[in-house]
Amino acid sequence: MNRGVACVCGSAEMLRRGLLYWLCRMGMVLILICCSLSLLYVITCSTHNDDPLVSPLLPRPAAPGSPGDPGGAPSGPRGRESYQALLQEREEQHRQHISSLKKQIAQLREALQGGAGPPAHIGEQADLQEFLRRQLGRAEVQAGVRLPSEYSVVPFQSFTLHRVYQLETGLTRHPEEKPVRKDHRDELSEVVDNALHALNAPNQRGDKTATSKVYSPSDFIEGVARTEKDKGTLYELTFRGEHKQEFRKMVLFRPFGPLMTVSDERVETSHATINIIVPLSQRADKFKQFMHSFREVCIKQDRRVHLTVVYFGQDQANEVKGTLENTSRELHFRNITLIQLNEEFSRGRGLDVGARAWKGGNVLLFFCDVDIIFTADFLNTCRLNTQPGKRVFYPVLFSQYNPAVIYGGGNHVPPVEQQLVIKKDTGFWRDFGFGMTCQYRSDFLNIGGFDVDIKGWGGEDVHLYRKYLHSNLLVVRAPSRGLFHLWHEKRCADELPPDQYKMCMQSKAMNEASHGQLGMLLFRHEIEAHLRKQKQRSGAKRLEGQ
């Protein structure tokens, strides 16, 4: 019975909407007919005019000697008065006609909408807005969602005005998109333009802190974006602010529809100190190279950092301590802490001790290794992509291939600073590593820190990463163009069982050179034989010519 009533109500509603649509169409036709008849009436009633310079809507001047021109002159006083009277009369007629048409349109609109609710297109717009809001609510925008494992993470791609850095698998492994594909270029250009339009729009909230800075594309630093196929695309863009250490961060969302501005906030990083924690055992020579980069980037350029070195054992400990003391004395830099542990090396244990040893409040932590080089821009990226209680940053670093292979021998290897180039033949995105990460100390402690039972190197980083994925924090995973892993030889111990030794050698091959370069090494004997044959043929042809 209820279904029948519902069907009848539905049919009545459809009939009502159809009648409303028909009345609307008829009203528009009537208005068009009235306008046409009015125009025809004006043209028909106008005096015929042979002079093309005189408007057909104006009365024709009286001929000399006619009653309209008693003085015989073409432009007497009475002629001018006649013109003005006729013009006023015609203007009044037009006003009345326009007023009548407006009244008719208003009455027709009222009749069409009376008691019928809002027009159909208004309802459709409301439905679309509700859909967009639902998509935004489902997406991982303002807060993280709990994920079962690292394989469920949708990584971000990072981009600038002219480059797109994305993770690709397979033999191609292009670390950057160059040239940028047209559809990507158009998409990102639209996003940046929309963000600039929003930044430069007049302030509608009466915010007294608003500035008069006009933002341009040159203020855009970098952005990250990712697409969830069932929700939409999220964009986070960073612009230079009005002051040196101030930034504007725009978040936009495209829910498979028009772009939506999610937030617009100022981010002040002048007081965001980064505590860089480095676990170490021996490797004093590598540590000197690390400290050389630390001097140039962290002390001379940024200075808003603290270095914590957790050293295991006694071997080479004095060399490491001497390097730290020299740096502190020469550059007047006191933000250095050395913690010595007489234990077997454990990366997770060292990072955990370094994080808990901090006594200065809620500091931003950067877990780092001694064979890592980063730029000053990366330090800002670390600050901008973390927020206590809301988000942690897991950058994907660029891992170098063996310089002796890619540059053709030890004599041709350039300095380390010149090797920091993101290209297909120089390295790859280390998308399987989770050791380098930026997070606030409060989040690290709340999540439970590292599993200190894991000994040696490896495993502790994935364990911590999974705990963040299982939490409500947003995990930002994206390639970072300012974070590099320097190549070092990987040794596979003879004590390993055959299956682990094979896996170790496969990992060593992946870090040695690109697929094409390894192929050239594998077939170098055939290539050399081909060159010898070509040389012999060229010599034989020269002898024949003589």
Side-chain angles (χ1 to χ4, degrees), residues 182-192 233 235 254:
K182 184 180 184 303
D183 58 333
H184 287 171
R185 186 171 65 250
D186 294 343
E187 172 197 2
L188 299 179
S189 295
E190 180 193 3
V191 172
V192 174
T233 304
Y235 306 91
R254 189 197 301 274

Side-chain angles (χ1 to χ4, degrees), residues 376-437:
D377 288 338
F378 169 76
L379 295 177
N380 279 328
T381 301
C382 180
R383 295 181 177 102
L384 293 168
N385 282 290
T386 51
Q387 191 173 359
K390 290 189 176 182
R391 54 194 292 159
V392 295
F393 183 42
Y394 271 84
V396 180
L397 52 83
F398 191 74
S399 188
Q400 278 188 328
Y401 288 135
N402 187 348
V405 175
I406 63 179
Y407 293 107
N411 297 330
H412 301 88
V413 176
V416 173
E417 292 76 12
Q418 298 179 18
Q419 298 178 29
L420 306 182
V421 180
I422 300 177
K423 290 184 178 179
K424 179 181 178 181
D425 293 331
T426 60
F428 62 97
W429 292 117
R430 204 179 187 89
D431 55 344
F432 52 83
F434 308 96
M436 270 33 75
T437 171

